[in-house]
Amino acid sequence: MKVYALTEGSYSVDSSKKFIPFNPETDNPKDRPASLFIYVQPFLVEIAGKLILLDTGLGYKNEAGKLVIHENIRKAGYDPDDVSMVLMSHLHFDHAAGMVYENDGKWQLSFPHAEYVINRDEWETAYSGESASYHTDIFDIVQRSGSIRFIEGDGALTDQISYEVTGGHCKYHQVFLLNENGDKAFYGADILPEPEQLLRKFKAKYDYDGARSLELRSHYGKLAAEENWLCLFYHAKSGALGRVEEIDGSFKIKKV
């Protein structure tokens, strides 16, 4: 199994839910009051001869007009058209906007040969709610493509890929465990978005159920330490890949 962090950079986001590029070296956080500052990085995994994408990022383009996630996949040595499965943890904009992109005035799938795996209840929540975190115009394009595979509850997609609905960050948030010949990689998405969240206990105000997320971080941290999982941190400032140790009830992260 090969894993690549497809780093898209850092951003500030305020109550408007807009993600604005933020360069820590030149931009002043004081100029963006009441903002969260986050990093974004989907993950590309080669497993059992297949190319898998874990969430799709912001869907932004570079100065040359190229989709950033496509360029990152090419830098990793792969062709974006070879992605066969896109696994969506949830459908908030910063994880789902890259599912589609505009090309020559037309909107199309970013990964036209892939199956988009989405929790059915999360999909219905996106359409029934009024949260600015969901952009249903994006989902309409994916739906018309006929490329969606809806899943529910917990289960397995293949012998190597299993999933669990966790709730916590949003009501139907889900996580994925990849396992190839005993080598395991865990994608906790926004339940475990940064390694630092294992090092301190807190309830995040941006979570649907902060207490549940806190409980889940400890749960998955213990499993990661016991089973030597490679953890994939979507919003990590540094060290997007790491392994977890538990020493005297406290967690320690080893960057990979």
Side-chain angles (χ1 to χ4, degrees), residues 47-87:
I47 182 170
K50 301 290 185 180
L51 205 56
I52 308 299
L53 185 66
L54 293 160
D55 284 340
T56 63
L58 287 162
Y60 287 175
K61 295 180 180 179
N62 60 22
E63 293 180 355
K66 302 291 185 180
L67 197 61
V68 172
I69 194 168
H70 281 180
E71 293 301 284
N72 284 338
I73 290 172
R74 292 188 181 103
K75 289 176 183 178
Y78 299 91
D79 189 325
D81 283 349
D82 291 336
V83 173
S84 62
M85 190 178 292
V86 177
L87 308 182

Side-chain angles (χ1 to χ4, degrees), residues 105-173:
K106 296 181 179 179
W107 285 91
Q108 59 191 58
L109 293 183
S110 300
F111 306 96
H113 305 298
E115 184 176 56
Y116 284 65
V117 179
I118 300 171
N119 178 276
R120 184 183 297 278
D121 291 316
E122 171 70 357
W123 178 270
E124 293 178 355
T125 297
Y127 276 95
S128 63
E130 297 181 355
S131 172
S133 294
Y134 295 113
H135 289 223
T136 54
D137 53 334
I138 293 171
F139 312 149
D140 290 343
I141 298 166
V142 182
Q143 186 175 46
R144 288 196 296 268
S145 74
S147 298
I148 299 176
R149 176 178 176 181
F150 285 119
I151 56 176
E152 299 178 58
D154 305 339
L157 297 168
T158 69
D159 291 340
Q160 295 81 25
I161 305 171
S162 60
Y163 56 90
E164 293 180 358
V165 174
T166 61
H169 179 65
C170 56
K171 194 171 182 180
Y172 296 103
H173 181 283

Side-chain angles (χ1 to χ4, degrees), residues 174-219:
Q174 62 186 358
V175 300
F176 295 92
L177 182 65
L178 312 181
N179 183 354
E180 186 171 35
N181 300 322
D183 185 17
K184 298 180 180 180
F186 174 70
Y187 180 53
D190 279 358
I191 289 300
L192 194 54
E194 302 175 65
E196 291 81 6
Q197 292 197 2
L198 277 176
L199 307 181
R200 62 186 191 278
K201 296 182 178 181
F202 69 98
K203 297 178 184 179
K205 293 182 179 179
Y206 50 74
D207 282 335
Y208 168 78
D209 186 340
R212 174 66 174 161
S213 292
L214 175 61
E215 176 186 329
L216 287 166
R217 283 195 287 274
S218 178
H219 168 71

